[in-house]
Structures are given as structure tokens and as C-alpha cells.
Amino acid sequence: MHKPYYAVIFTSTRTTGDKGYGKMAEFMELLAKKQPGFIGIESAREKTGITVSYWESLSAIHDWKQQADHVLAQKKGITDWYNSYTVRICLVEREYNFNKNT
Amino acid sequence: MHKPYYAVIFTSTRTTGDKGYGKMAEFMELLAKKQPGFIGIESAREKTGITVSYWESLSAIHDWKQQADHVLAQKKGITDWYNSYTVRICLVEREYNFNKNT
């Protein structure tokens, strides 16, 4: 059994042009990995971008949301980078895996 | 306030070659949309593929997992299409949105 943990599903559509987005996204991922309670992160973008990050607790998610550089990035997200986004904070209730090589 | 609902996060890495995957993925999306309790679906693939589908209840998720064509697709997923995958069934506890045009 896993300890209960949380997933934050961030789905977004971008504005046109990079405008410093790529660099900041990389930096945010590095910073997130240093946050207490961080478990992991996965991203993919086509028409929609989806980033899922995993956290040990709601308070870890809250602290990351308040992290100073992340707050700045959130502001730039609204003014420059995103046409739209949705953040969903989710309790992972069950999971299962398949791996060909194990 | 939203009614409580669920997100199924499906993350995967593919084997090489299409092997009928693209067609089946499209067909599965069409079928999922017809399932009772289906709310929505979002996907993106780069190195990792992420598909998040949204459902009204755990029983709706269970019924979709048992749907006959979907069962066949799951089998082909294991034999042909995926190197690895993880399925996480999550209760959406909170959400918020940004939309530039509203």
C-alpha cells in the first residue's frame, strides 16, 4: 500500500511565441524538485499542455504555490504565457502499473 | 461548487512504430465519450504520454475499464503498444481556472 498522496493536474493552452516560457518552465521544474514533499513531475504538450506533479500533502502543494519565484512565474503565466489553464488538486486513491521489462 | 468527480491519469511510454495504435487511440476516445458518467478527456504526448479522463463516479470508471472493446485495447496495450504505463484514479478535491478571454 502507498501512503496517500496528491496529484496536481495543470492543463493549459499557450499564447503564441516563447516569451521566455521555455526557460522559466525548466527553472520551475528544478525548483519544484527542491520543495519539501515533492514526489515527481511529468509533462507533455501538444495542442494542450498537461503537467502532473505529485506531492506528499496538501500543505506541500500550498507551500509550492506560495514559493516566491513560483509566484512570479504564475503572474507571468497570466499576463504573457497562457490563454487558459486549469489546476486540479486531486487525492490519488488507487494506482497500478505495467512495465514490459520487469 | 462542483459535484465531486474523478480524474484518471494515464501516463505511458510507447514502443516504437505505430502498430495500429493511433487508430485505436482515436476509437477509444470516441467510445469513452459514449460511456455513462464520462465528463471529458485531455491528452498530450512527447517523451511521455499523458491522458487524463474525467468521470462522475468510481463505478463509471469501473464500467469503462470493463467495456469490451476497451478490454481488447488494454490487452494490445500490454502486448504491442506500451513499454510502461501507470494508471492513477484520483478524487478531484479542488480546482481553479484562468481564461484570458472571459
Side-chain angles (χ1 to χ4, degrees):
Chain A
M1 280 299 291
H2 286 274
K3 266 175 67 176
Y5 70 100
Y6 289 84
V8 179
I9 306 170
F10 179 79
T11 52
S12 63
T13 56
R14 289 269 285 114
T15 54
T16 50
D18 184 69
K19 299 177 194 136
Y21 172 77
K23 231 174 162 163
M24 184 64 99
E26 257 178 59
F27 182 48
M28 284 306 117
E29 195 169 318
L30 282 176
L31 282 183
K33 286 176 180 170
K34 291 185 188 164
Q35 283 290 119
F38 175 87
I39 298 171
I41 188 165
E42 302 179 283
S43 299
R45 176 173 299 280
E46 288 183 277
K47 199 175 153 191
T48 299
I50 307 177
T51 297
V52 188
S53 58
Y54 305 98
W55 300 88
E56 286 174 4
S57 65
L58 288 175
S59 72
I61 294 167
H62 176 83
D63 291 348
W64 169 234
K65 192 172 192 301
Q66 308 300 322
Q67 198 275 355
D69 293 306
H70 189 205
V71 168
L72 287 178
Q74 289 168 57
K75 286 181 182 160
K76 288 276 279 180
I78 285 173
T79 55
D80 292 11
W81 294 325
Y82 297 117
N83 271 325
S84 64
Y85 65 72
T86 299
V87 179
R88 291 180 177 88
I89 296 168
C90 308
L91 176 65
V92 180
E93 298 210 334
R94 217 153 8 117
E95 82 178 80
Y96 54 93
N97 302 280
F98 161 69
N99 197 315
K100 233 184 187 47
N101 306 309
T102 54
Chain B
M1 280 300 290
H2 286 273
K3 266 173 68 176
Y5 70 100
Y6 289 84
V8 178
I9 306 171
F10 179 79
T11 52
S12 63
T13 56
R14 289 269 285 113
T15 53
T16 50
D18 184 69
K19 299 179 196 138
Y21 173 78
K23 230 171 164 169
M24 183 64 99
E26 257 178 58
F27 182 48
M28 284 306 117
E29 194 168 322
L30 283 175
L31 283 183
K33 286 176 179 169
K34 291 185 187 164
Q35 283 290 119
F38 175 87
I39 297 170
I41 188 164
E42 301 179 283
S43 300
R45 175 173 299 280
E46 288 183 274
K47 198 175 151 190
T48 298
I50 307 177
T51 296
V52 189
S53 57
Y54 305 98
W55 301 87
E56 287 173 5
S57 65
L58 288 176
S59 71
I61 294 167
H62 176 83
D63 291 349
W64 169 235
K65 191 171 193 301
Q66 307 300 322
Q67 198 274 355
D69 293 306
H70 189 205
V71 168
L72 287 178
Q74 289 168 57
K75 285 180 182 162
K76 288 276 279 180
I78 285 174
T79 55
D80 292 12
W81 294 325
Y82 298 116
N83 270 326
S84 64
Y85 65 71
T86 299
V87 178
R88 290 180 176 88
I89 296 168
C90 308
L91 176 65
V92 180
E93 297 210 334
R94 219 152 8 117
E95 81 177 79
Y96 53 93
N97 302 281
F98 161 69
N99 197 316
K100 232 184 185 49
N101 306 307
T102 53

